Amino acid sequence: MTADPVRANTDPLPGEPPVPDGDRVVQGEDWYGRVLTDRHSWTGYTFLDTDWTEVANRGAVFDSCVFAGVRFNASRHTGAVFTDCVFRRCTFFDTCFTDCRMLGSVFRQSTFTLLEVVRGDWSFTGLPGADLRGASFSDVRMREADLAGARLEKASVTGTDLTGAMLHSARLEGADLRGSELSALNPLTVRLAGAKIDAEQAVVIATALGLRVC
């Protein structure tokens, strides 16, 4: 049985986003190189076509916010919080998230180039159909994350907790998966050619295929 065709990274969720609160809209602003700290907090804000290039985010909190057309290029986020946020048509070029919480956030029609995620909690995050080729996820908690149809060829997904993650039709050719929790992975519905796994993971995958490891 071969993997199903990869789902395109179109808008994966039905319906339109909520109408922005006119008093909580940041549009067209240049935040180039801005420094954000844990003293900054936004709830229910909408950021439209904002330039976040080289932003240094050190613990800022964003709850139930919408980011549309935001450029996160070369930005660095450490200990930041993005809960239940929506990222639509955003660009992440050379973007790094370290020890961040991305719980319940959804990415739609966004582009990722040289994305790096180190530790942090990305559980329940929606990345269906996302093109994450060459991205790096290290020691990240991604329980029940939606990675269905995601392109992860030659990505590094090491030491990552993927318990309950949706991986149907994901492309993992050449990916480094060593040390990650793969009990939710069905080897019959993903593409794994050339992926790197460790001995323990090999047993998990063999068992999922109905093989007996002696």
Side-chain angles (χ1 to χ4, degrees), residues 1-207:
M1 179 178 179
T2 59
D4 292 341
V6 175
R7 187 164 52 174
N9 187 19
T10 55
D11 194 341
L13 297 180
E16 294 297 323
V19 177
D21 180 341
D23 295 328
R24 297 186 178 187
V25 174
V26 178
Q27 183 170 12
E29 292 191 7
D30 184 358
W31 286 25
Y32 182 93
R34 183 173 294 192
V35 176
L36 307 178
T37 70
D38 56 7
R39 291 179 294 178
H40 296 104
S41 178
W42 289 265
T43 298
Y45 272 74
T46 297
F47 297 86
L48 300 174
D49 302 318
T50 306
D51 187 0
W52 284 41
T53 300
E54 295 192 19
V55 161
N57 180 359
R58 301 165 185 162
V61 176
F62 300 86
D63 181 54
S64 301
C65 292
V66 175
F67 300 85
V70 177
R71 298 179 294 282
F72 289 93
N73 302 334
S75 59
R76 298 292 181 264
H77 307 264
T78 304
V81 177
F82 298 86
T83 52
D84 296 319
C85 293
V86 174
F87 298 84
R88 183 192 297 272
R89 295 180 290 98
C90 294
T91 58
F92 299 87
F93 175 80
D94 189 26
T95 306
C96 181
F97 294 92
T98 304
D99 295 318
C100 293
R101 293 179 61 197
M102 196 70 69
L103 289 168
S105 292
V106 177
F107 295 81
R108 307 177 180 180
Q109 300 172 292
S110 296
T111 59
F112 307 88
T113 306
L114 301 178
L115 174 69
E116 182 180 10
V117 182
V118 181
R119 298 183 299 276
D121 194 343
W122 287 50
S123 297
F124 308 104
T125 299
L127 286 158
D131 188 343
L132 296 164
R133 286 177 288 181
S136 175
F137 293 85
S138 176
D139 300 314
V140 185
R141 183 182 174 95
M142 298 187 75
R143 290 194 167 206
E144 299 190 46
D146 186 354
L147 291 163
R151 300 200 62 175
L152 287 153
E153 298 101 312
K154 296 185 178 180
S156 177
V157 187
T158 57
T160 293
D161 184 356
L162 291 166
T163 302
M166 288 172 274
L167 295 164
H168 184 79
S169 297
R171 297 191 60 169
L172 297 163
E173 296 101 321
D176 188 350
L177 304 175
R178 290 174 293 183
S180 292
E181 207 287 330
L182 299 179
S183 61
L185 186 148
N186 183 343
L188 296 177
T189 64
V190 298
R191 301 185 185 185
L192 281 169
K196 297 178 182 178
I197 58 175
D198 56 37
E200 184 176 343
Q201 292 169 320
V203 172
V204 172
I205 292 174
T207 302

